[in-house]
Amino acid sequence: MHGKAMIRHWPPLWQVTLGFAAGVGLTLWQPEWPPLETPLCLLGLGLALLLRRYWGISGVFLGAAWGLLNLAWQLSAMPDVSTYRQPVVLTGVVTQRFDGDPAGFVLRVEHCFQSSDVPCSRNGHFLLSGAVRLNWYASITPPREGERWRLSVRLRPLHGAINPGVMENVPRRLVSGERARGYVPRHADAQRLNPASGWRLWRAEALQALHQKGAQWPALRWVSALALGHGEALSDDDWQLLRETGTVHLWVVSGLHLGLLFACVVGLGRGLRWPWWPTLVIGLCVAGSFALLSGWGVAAQRAFWMLCLLALGLSGWRALSPWTGIAVALWGVLLLQPLAMLTAGFWLSFVAVGLLIWTFQGRGRLPLWRQALIAQWVMAWGLLPFIAGYTGHVSWVAPLLNLILVPLMGVILPVVLVALGLWMGVGVEWGLHMVAWGFDALMSGLAIASHEQPDTQLVRLWPLALGLLVLLPPGFALRWLAPCGVVLAFWPDTLGSTKTDHWEVLFFDVGQGTAVGLRQNQEILIYDVGPRYPSGWAPLLRPLPVWQGADALRHLVVSHDDNDHAGALSPVLALMSPGLRLGAAGPNAQGCYPAGVQRWGALTLYWVGGPAAGRVDNASSCTLLVVGPGGSVLLTGDIDQATEQRYLGLWQQWLDGESLTVLLAPHHGSRTSTSAKMLTALRPQYAVHTAGWHNRYGHPHESVVRRLSAHRVQQWQTGLMGAIRVRFSATSASEWQALRHHQQRLWDWGWQRVPVRRR
């Protein structure tokens, strides 16, 4: 029977697939685990409906059952809080290495022991499988990729920060195979069992050589990212430039790069008149080799299997429609890793391929230039809601840049791979020189394009969905709503701009550090900016643009210049408009000493702290008291009890006999702060500890917790509860919201075996 005739008699695979994806998605967004019998009941019901040919609804039940079962299996392989920082011995292979201070690496675990001969277990079940990401503090040289080691380590469960508008990163870690994080102590027992070999050895040597050459040619970091999938070689400024120009996908090894290599090989084979089947096989081998060389990441794996389906369809062995290919690929991804649905790469890859198929199917053969223009038009409109929802930013130059760079990447990628191979194979360096020069010129052009584009801030996301209407065929009356949706998404939010009796405070979840935002109307004040890590990652940078809305950041107070309070200062300053700047660091910052007062709309800002000259240390932190309609907030930095006594009289005077509403516990709840005398004088109703989950300092200290409890102060902690939002109003009581209470998901139970509750 002919292949097309056979397809008509197949079950409607796309209905089952969409139902399966919907079931997985509904499961992953549940806040609590259902009874143990639920997955089996869902599985049985799904199979029964499948036999009765209720394709869509059966897929929903099957997807829900599989999502629960798979996630339960993954969480069962994670260490819980009871094993936190307990020494264990791991044996495994290093699959990825990260340079920095400290160095880090990913270890694919083969064996886990609690002691020399006792396997890691919990209730008789194997405790740890998969991979762990470890920081290296040992005194010997860190491991290289491909080496097999036996290490004494200390582990912690996966735990992510919760901030408004930002997806927690635990699903992304689980998708990449991680089951825990930890570190190798300074005097740990570390033994290399086997050296690296094969392609991992070649990749490790290439990365090390590029890192050494980077001192002479800094642009070679782009070779590490593009050819070897080592995105950690790029700085925070590099990633910011790529986000602003909408070209991140060009430098993260994905389906685009594998598809370009496959197309190059197939085009070469057609030009040389190779047999069709061998040409497809060679193309897959080249694409698969590049996927291995780049680290065999999740995106590369997904792209390779989709290419296999494409090659199968091109071979003529089976008349597969493009939609059937996507359905099979979607099934494969969700069966292997349902949590992939929660990553940006999943949606961008499948939506992009689906849009292209929908656009070009039935159009016949078009000139190459028209295909390129249509493809970029479709990608610009179709992916706009997904990119804006993930980054909170839209690049206006991205369509034009991608129109130029996507075809150009078909030349750049082979040239980079050949230059790298010549250098590593026979020591020829001139090709690498040319590549480095080319990347310098290319990035200079991207920087100019980023600087020249208009600076607009996404105000609301949902209208961007209307932009998809432009993809409808000509003649549909609703197509005119597409540009209206885009305009509405960026139109400044002026509703309520005249209200002065509502304001809010957001204590960001930035781990062991402090970052607090105050919002009144459309103006923002930031008190401390949280840490910035050696990799350049600053946890405040992702939630801040989402939270601040249409207006720019106006005011900034930096209590003192420790990394956990001022680490992210430089990138935050780039987001600021001219306004009040107090504290210890940053250009144009006026000192916090002596005491001062300023009106800010309906709020009054009182500050005191800092030395008359010299470095601002913990005890000299700039403190800020905010008094407004409905309440007051005291932000205290890292001051100690002696400093509390020195400022106590001023605070009482400024509060004018009223009790304090919210106290930011000084020094993250350290035992050297939050004196009983201050609590008696200010009578705070609430206290917030900006302390990381199970941080190594033990913050908040037990004595501080007991002292606050004795004064009947309700306590909140960002590390446990995520970002904490407080809304004040002159006409009603303050409203509190801990984001982890509202955004708790099933994977939170991997590190916490009971529901989240307030202290």
Side-chain angles (χ1 to χ4, degrees):
M1 184 181 294
H2 195 272
K4 292 185 178 180
M6 291 178 61
I7 293 175
R8 297 192 188 101
H9 298 282
W10 285 3
L13 180 61
W14 64 270
Q15 295 185 34
V16 183
T17 302
L18 292 180
F20 188 86
V24 171
L26 290 173
T27 298
L28 296 179
W29 286 99
Q30 296 303 307
E32 295 185 3
W33 282 89
L36 296 177
E37 304 83 5
T38 302
L40 296 179
C41 294
L42 291 173
L43 182 61
L45 187 57
L47 292 174
L49 291 171
L50 187 64
L51 292 176
R52 289 181 170 269
R53 299 188 178 185
Y54 292 100
W55 309 118
I57 191 64
S58 66
V60 173
F61 286 112
L62 291 174
W66 177 242
L68 290 172
L69 292 172
N70 184 275
L71 186 56
W73 170 75
Q74 293 190 64
L75 297 185
S76 68
M78 291 172 55
D80 58 20
V81 178
S82 63
T83 61
Y84 180 62
R85 289 188 178 168
Q86 296 297 319
V88 296
V89 178
L90 301 180
T91 300
V93 177
V94 177
T95 60
Q96 199 172 3
R97 162 129 178 223
F98 309 101
D99 297 318
D101 184 20
F105 59 95
V106 175
L107 185 76
R108 189 181 71 244
V109 178
E110 297 175 347
H111 303 286
C112 176
F113 299 95
Q114 291 176 322
S115 61
S116 59
D117 56 352
V118 179
C120 300
S121 64
R122 181 174 60 240
N123 300 326
H125 298 286
F126 186 67
L127 174 64
L128 188 63
S129 62
V132 296
R133 180 163 176 169
L134 302 169
N135 288 336
W136 183 267
Y137 296 100
S139 55
I140 61 176
T141 304
R144 299 174 63 189
E145 281 192 28
E147 295 179 341
R148 188 167 175 267
W149 282 71
R150 179 183 175 91
L151 301 168
S152 175
V153 305
R154 296 177 184 269
L155 299 176
R156 60 177 292 173
L158 296 180
H159 179 272
I162 295 289
N163 285 293
V166 181
M167 174 63 70
E168 187 181 2
N169 61 1
V170 170
R172 180 177 55 82
R173 296 177 183 176
L174 289 172
V175 169
S176 66
E178 291 185 33
R179 298 294 178 266
R181 287 207 167 189
Y183 64 97
V184 182
R186 183 173 299 277
H187 302 292
D189 180 19
Q191 179 183 1
R192 190 180 72 170
L193 302 179
N194 299 106
S197 60
W199 66 271
R200 290 193 181 278
L201 174 61
W202 194 93
R203 183 174 187 268
E205 291 178 346
L207 284 173
Q208 183 177 4
L210 287 171
H211 180 70
Q212 293 172 352
K213 281 288 184 181
Q216 181 179 358
W217 303 319
L220 291 182
R221 67 189 186 276
W222 297 100
V223 177
S224 297
L226 179 60
L228 302 176
H230 190 63
E232 289 74 15
L234 303 182
S235 67
D236 190 56
D237 292 336
D238 293 333
W239 287 113
Q240 183 65 23
L241 174 63
L242 297 181
R243 284 191 292 267
E244 290 176 353
T245 55
T247 56
V248 172
H249 61 288
L250 297 179
W251 310 101
V252 178
V253 176
S254 62
L256 171 65
H257 305 86
L258 270 66
L260 287 173
L261 286 179
F262 180 79
C264 288
V265 173
V266 172
L268 179 64
R270 293 294 297 272
L272 298 176
R273 297 187 178 181
W274 293 347
W276 186 233
W277 255 102
T279 300
L280 295 175
V281 172
I282 293 173
L284 287 177
C285 290
V286 171
S289 300
F290 178 63
L292 286 174
L293 186 65
S294 64
W296 196 240
V298 176
Q301 295 178 41
R302 181 171 58 243
F304 178 73
W305 296 125
M306 293 184 73
L307 277 180
C308 290
L309 288 172
L310 175 63
L312 186 64
L314 293 175
S315 69
W317 177 78
R318 178 78 72 180
L320 292 173
S321 74
W323 295 113
T324 301
I326 287 188
V328 173
L330 187 60
W331 264 97
V333 171
L334 293 180
L335 284 175
L336 292 175
Q337 183 51 271
L339 281 173
M341 180 177 284
L342 299 178
T343 62
F346 173 89
W347 292 99
L348 292 176
S349 60
F350 279 104
V351 171
V353 174
L355 286 171
L356 290 176
I357 293 174
W358 181 82
T359 302
F360 289 107
Q361 194 171 31
R363 284 182 177 264
R365 298 185 61 86
L366 295 174
L368 185 61
W369 66 270
R370 287 194 62 186
Q371 293 184 33
L373 288 175
I374 292 174
Q376 289 307 312
W377 174 260
V378 170
M379 292 297 101
W381 283 96
L383 296 181
L384 185 61
F386 300 95
I387 295 175
Y390 180 68
T391 64
H393 175 79
V394 172
S395 173
W396 300 108
V397 299
L400 178 60
L401 292 176
N402 281 283
L403 183 64
I404 300 171
L405 292 178
V406 169
L408 188 61
M409 190 59 64
V411 178
I412 294 176
L413 183 58
V415 169
V416 169
L417 292 176
V418 170
L420 182 62
L422 289 175
W423 180 51
M424 294 296 298
V426 295
V428 177
E429 293 188 353
W430 63 266
L432 214 59
H433 291 196
M434 297 299 294
V435 167
W437 177 85
F439 277 127
D440 273 332
L442 180 59
M443 295 308 148
S444 298
L446 288 183
I448 294 174
S450 173
H451 180 72
E452 294 298 328
Q453 71 174 330
D455 184 16
T456 54
Q457 180 67 44
L458 182 68
V459 179
R460 54 190 71 82
L461 180 61
W462 64 265
L464 289 180
L466 297 176
L468 298 177
L469 296 174
V470 78
L471 303 178
L472 294 174
F476 279 80
L478 295 179
R479 293 182 82 235
W480 66 272
L481 290 176
C484 296
V486 175
V487 171
L488 184 60
F490 294 93
W491 193 267
D493 185 6
T494 57
L495 295 178
S497 59
T498 59
K499 296 181 179 179
T500 57
D501 59 342
H502 291 78
W503 58 290
E504 70 177 33
V505 181
L506 182 64
F507 297 88
F508 292 98
D509 183 7
V510 294
Q512 183 63 19
T514 297
V516 184
L518 291 93
R519 180 171 186 166
Q520 179 186 217
N521 304 327
Q522 295 301 308
E523 290 192 9
I524 307 295
L525 181 149
I526 295 294
Y527 179 89
D528 284 345
V529 294
R532 189 175 188 181
Y533 293 92
S535 64
W537 184 72
L540 181 63
L541 293 184
R542 290 188 65 190
L544 181 56
V546 177
W547 183 65
Q548 74 181 44
D551 204 356
L553 176 62
R554 294 282 300 174
H555 307 290
L556 178 67
V557 178
V558 180
S559 64
H560 61 300
D561 50 10
D562 283 351
N563 177 65
D564 59 334
H565 293 256
L569 180 60
S570 296
V572 169
L573 284 175
L575 301 174
M576 281 196 64
S577 298
L580 175 67
R581 299 185 187 180
L582 298 174
N588 304 321
Q590 66 184 80
C592 194
Y593 177 91
V597 58
Q598 177 174 321
R599 293 286 299 179
W600 178 36
L603 306 181
T604 306
L605 310 178
Y606 302 95
W607 65 84
V608 62
R615 182 182 183 274
V616 179
D617 55 12
N618 285 353
S620 302
S621 295
C622 182
T623 67
L624 181 67
L625 174 64
V626 183
V627 179
S632 55
V633 179
L634 177 59
L635 307 174
T636 55
D638 281 351
I639 62 174
D640 55 16
Q641 293 188 9
T643 308
E644 293 172 6
Q645 309 310 316
R646 192 161 64 249
Y647 299 157
L648 199 53
L650 278 175
W651 290 335
Q652 287 182 289
Q653 175 185 341
W654 291 333
L655 287 171
D656 195 22
E658 298 289 334
S659 62
L660 179 67
T661 308
V662 184
L663 169 68
L664 173 64
H667 204 175
H668 318 285
S670 168
R671 62 180 176 179
T672 61
S673 306
T674 320
S675 63
K677 186 175 181 180
M678 180 182 71
L679 297 178
T680 301
L682 301 183
R683 308 188 310 279
Q685 302 173 32
Y686 304 92
V688 176
H689 305 284
T690 52
W693 178 76
H694 278 271
N695 60 87
R696 61 187 177 127
Y697 305 101
H699 295 158
H701 196 268
E702 292 182 3
S703 62
V704 174
V705 174
R706 289 196 300 267
R707 195 178 305 139
L708 287 164
S709 298
H711 285 77
R712 298 182 178 180
V713 180
Q714 187 172 354
Q715 301 176 61
W716 304 67
Q717 182 180 340
T718 54
L720 286 175
M721 304 174 181
I724 298 168
R725 189 196 305 263
V726 192
R727 291 188 176 93
F728 296 95
S729 171
T731 58
S732 60
S734 59
E735 301 177 8
W736 285 73
Q737 181 188 61
L739 292 194
R740 195 175 290 278
H741 294 168
H742 296 269
Q743 299 182 17
Q744 178 170 302
R745 297 291 177 251
L746 298 184
W747 54 83
D748 287 334
W749 294 57
W751 58 269
Q752 173 179 283
R753 306 301 174 184
V754 296
V756 180
R757 301 186 188 279
R758 289 182 290 184
R759 182 187 295 271

